[in-house]
Amino acid sequence: MTEQNLSGRTALVTGGASGIGAACARALAARGAHVTVADVDDVAAKSLADDIDGTAWHVDLLDTDPLTELRLETDILVNNAGIQTISPIEEFRPEDFRRIQTLMVEAPFLLIRAALPHMYATGFGRIVNVSSVHGLRASAFKAAYVTAKHGLEGLSKVTALEGGPHGVTSNCVNPGYVLTPLVQKQIADQAQVHGISESEVIEKVMLTESAIKRLVEPSEVASLVAWLASADAGMVTGASYTIDGGWTAR
Ligand code: NAD
């Protein structure tokens, strides 16, 4: 049973082959949407697309030139693809900083730009941007990621203002730590840096500020995304929804 009926809707999820994106693709498909799984990992994207009767789109969102001419016929756009580099600012490689802004701010801008004409023509559109608690709060050594997520928050709000009169909503979801390949790598790296076990990293580094002492499940983020994509959420726009077990409440 699903709470929201998205049958007849088309959806596109970037970074849809793994982690939160894959959970979103599954959740939207389970509610009846035809989902395009957009990812640079074409094998995983195709496998998931086959599984949910969707479509795979092999795209490298770091290559933004082709996106400037793109037109997307999608009712729902989930800007989810993301990467992370952790380093002190003075050692941060400028090319890594630029790569993260390209993937996590410029590509979402170009995809929103490509999707709005169809959404305006049909009078319905749902844009959900997968931000982070780092779109609202900073952490040291994450200069590029925190900057990009704050940028995505701004882009989401401007889209909400412009899209509102046309039936288009735009919102952010702001997860805390979600157990995905991106975070698994972070856990392994931090265990090595601090010389502690991976479970100690989860307990002592990741969950110290959480009220609900566990990591977020990808499916929990996906349920929120699916609700924001539904007709029920028609009055919700320009908002940012934390899903972080109380991390930002502290
Ligand atoms: P993940 O690494 O599991 O998945 C990211 C996906 O993006 C992968 O399928 C990857 O192939 C794809 N991708 C990467 N570069 C790409 C490119 N150039 N073009 C197209 N696709 C590309 O990561 P995740 O943890 O599921 O993260 C998804 C989003 O959620 C990111 O925006 C991340 O910042 C955000 N987020 C994650 C967490 C967390 O704890 N995992 C918390 C808050 C926010």
Side-chain angles (χ1 to χ4, degrees), residues 14-22 38-41 44 59-63 79-83 103-104 130-134 145 149 152 173-183 186:
T14 71
S18 170
I20 295 170
D39 208 291
V40 71
D41 181 345
V59 61
D60 181 356
L61 295 170
L62 286 170
D63 181 12
N79 280 312
N80 164 78
I83 48 176
L103 180 63
M104 288 158 56
V130 180
S131 178
S132 160
V133 289
H134 289 112
Y145 189 84
K149 292 301 191 189
L152 185 62
V173 296
N174 303 70
Y177 286 110
V178 188
L179 197 53
T180 67
L182 185 139
V183 159
Q186 224 173 303

Side-chain angles (χ1 to χ4, degrees), residues 24-61:
C24 290
R26 287 189 186 283
L28 295 167
R31 287 156 177 80
H34 180 93
V35 180
T36 297
V37 180
D39 208 291
V40 71
D41 181 345
D42 52 338
V43 174
K46 180 151 187 344
S47 154
L48 177 57
D50 287 349
D51 212 31
I52 60 173
D53 283 334
T55 303
W57 177 27
H58 180 213
V59 61
D60 181 356
L61 295 170

Side-chain angles (χ1 to χ4, degrees), residues 135 148-161 170 172 240:
K149 292 301 191 189
H150 276 70
L152 185 62
E153 296 279 328
L155 173 65
S156 184
K157 287 180 188 150
V158 174
T159 308
L161 296 183
S170 174
C172 285
S240 297

Side-chain angles (χ1 to χ4, degrees), residues 126 128 169 171-173 223-231 233-234 236 241:
R126 294 283 183 269
V128 186
T169 67
N171 294 286
C172 285
V173 296
S223 296
L224 178 57
V225 168
W227 175 69
L228 287 168
S230 74
V236 179
Y241 278 79

Side-chain angles (χ1 to χ4, degrees), residues 188-199:
D189 290 350
Q190 293 204 13
Q192 213 173 6
V193 170
H194 299 295
I196 55 177
S197 72
E198 294 192 2
S199 57

